[in-house]
Amino acid sequence: MKYYNPVKISFDTICGEELSKLSGIGKKRLIFCYDGFEKTGTFSTITDGGENDLVITDVEENPSIQSIDKFLKSAHNFKPEIIIAIGGGSVIDTAKVVRFGLYLNRSSVKELLEGGVTRISGEKPLLITVPTTHGTGSEVTMWATVWDKVENKKYSVSDIENYPDHALYDHRLFSTLPMSVSVSSTLDALSHSFEALWNKNSNPVSDHFAFESIKLIIKYIDDLNDPVPADVRKGLILASMYAGLAFSNTKTAAAHSISYPLTLNYGIPHGIACSMPLFPLLKINSKGMVDKLDRLFMNCEVKSPEELEKKIKAAVKGKVPFSLEEFGVKENELEGLVGQSFTKERMANNIIELDSGDVRKILGDIYK
Ligand SMILES: [Fe+2]
């Protein structure tokens, strides 16, 4: 059994204070943050707007390779010693790809994807990630998801050298998170945990993190109402971090594979797209993880997959849509989605091998 994760974690920290300790004085810093963060009080504790800081706020949702190319070019010109990413998965993934592009001295994402991992440069800026949603897990993983929106394709930039150096968690940064994003990111973390458990690469350490994550999500998801109490927010941030630590070593599996065309074709938020298939998948995958089921059901406080589905649907009702029909998918389009649902390296991780018939049934099950 091997488990590896080199990211240094500061939990329940004050972002501004921790960043100034880690950044040093006079270092050139490239700061990616979500649009609007520059108007917050925390932003002014991080940067004084001097020439040593280059701030980028126009990161794309589900970042396209074309948008990242633009940032990579600026980064090559600026030559940062430190890269800071403050935001959700899109911001963190963008920063990871830019840092990796600098490290390998690539001028575009396509070059990065096609060029393998030949080390050219050796200069690797320190990467500090500060998540502001509790679902992505990207702050503790070695991959970044990027999208070619011209060719309608999703890619993963993944390498052992692509782990961030530090992940900082400050619950104060989540206070303005819209409820729909709070819910969908929690569901993303839930999906990462389940996918780590029913994964061919699972091991006792990843299982432990996944079980703990699920326990916390089930404990707190019903209390996710505005204003979100600090203990609920901290519990869900911790759950997301545990989920990240779990799937950082297993990668995802069938639920994420099925989610990609749902996001690409219908714009279904990632956390919803990858969590709707969890319940039909639990029924299928149960036979491949018999030894984990008792602990799983105990942590979810249920006795069956049906009971779990009812529980999660009740918790998210009125906060986010949770069926394909509600996102405008037509029933006669399901067949066409089946082929697109097979991302080979994700599907191959699933503990039970799925065929087209299985996937068509799953899509039918999550339609209404
Ligand atoms: Fe995910």
Side-chain angles (χ1 to χ4, degrees), residues 135-136 188-189 191-192 247 252 256 260 270-271 274:
T136 168
D188 192 17
S191 185
H192 295 157
F247 91 119
T252 53
H256 275 67
Y260 297 132
H270 173 68
C274 70

Side-chain angles (χ1 to χ4, degrees), residues 89-320:
S90 297
V91 172
I92 296 174
D93 282 0
T94 298
K96 282 162 87 170
V97 176
V98 168
R99 197 269 295 250
F100 202 46
L102 287 175
Y103 176 45
L104 297 188
N105 199 22
R106 303 281 196 258
S107 60
S108 70
V109 179
K110 272 267 158 76
E111 217 180 273
L112 192 63
L113 288 165
E114 287 161 6
V117 292
T118 312
R119 312 288 179 226
I120 296 174
S121 165
E123 286 299 317
K124 188 160 79 164
L126 190 79
L127 177 59
I128 306 170
T129 53
V130 187
T132 59
T133 61
H134 36 72
T136 168
S138 179
E139 71 279 6
V140 291
T141 70
M142 66 170 170
W143 55 82
T145 303
V146 294
W147 308 76
D148 186 335
K149 292 180 183 172
V150 177
E151 304 215 351
N152 235 21
K153 278 186 180 160
K154 170 244 164 209
Y155 294 98
S156 185
V157 175
S158 181
D159 189 76
I160 199 86
E161 296 285 350
N162 205 23
Y163 279 102
D165 297 287
H166 294 268
L168 315 182
Y169 298 86
D170 181 349
H171 72 275
R172 295 160 202 83
L173 302 183
F174 296 71
S175 60
T176 56
L177 200 61
M179 183 50 60
S180 60
V181 183
S182 292
V183 172
S184 64
S185 55
T186 300
L187 292 171
D188 192 17
L190 186 69
S191 185
H192 295 157
S193 301
F194 273 89
E195 297 257 83
L197 285 178
W198 58 47
N199 200 299
K200 284 181 186 162
N201 307 312
S202 73
N203 62 57
V205 180
S206 62
D207 281 353
H208 174 74
F209 283 126
F211 280 126
E212 289 305 304
S213 170
I214 290 168
K215 202 189 324 186
L216 284 166
I217 291 170
I218 296 298
K219 179 178 176 186
Y220 288 117
I221 195 165
D222 281 338
D223 300 322
L224 195 47
N225 298 301
D226 277 325
V228 180
D231 64 322
V232 173
R233 191 67 88 185
K234 282 187 202 175
L236 292 173
I237 297 168
L238 191 58
S240 172
M241 184 188 82
Y242 284 157
L245 292 171
F247 91 119
S248 70
N249 275 244
T250 62
K251 297 194 173 169
T252 53
H256 275 67
S257 188
I258 292 169
S259 82
Y260 297 132
L262 302 179
T263 297
L264 261 176
N265 298 325
Y266 302 98
I268 301 179
H270 173 68
I272 299 173
C274 70
S275 57
M276 287 189 294
L278 289 181
F279 312 105
L281 275 169
L282 179 56
K283 289 179 203 160
I284 296 170
N285 285 337
S286 286
K287 51 184 178 290
M289 51 189 282
V290 176
D291 54 326
K292 299 179 188 178
L293 283 182
D294 283 350
R295 190 173 169 193
L296 178 63
F297 287 146
M298 194 175 72
N299 285 14
C300 293
E301 300 171 17
V302 298
K303 291 190 175 64
S304 67
E306 292 81 5
E307 217 185 311
L308 178 65
E309 181 172 11
K310 234 167 118 183
K311 197 179 183 113
I312 297 297
K313 281 187 170 171
V316 306
K317 198 171 183 224
K319 294 173 181 161
V320 293

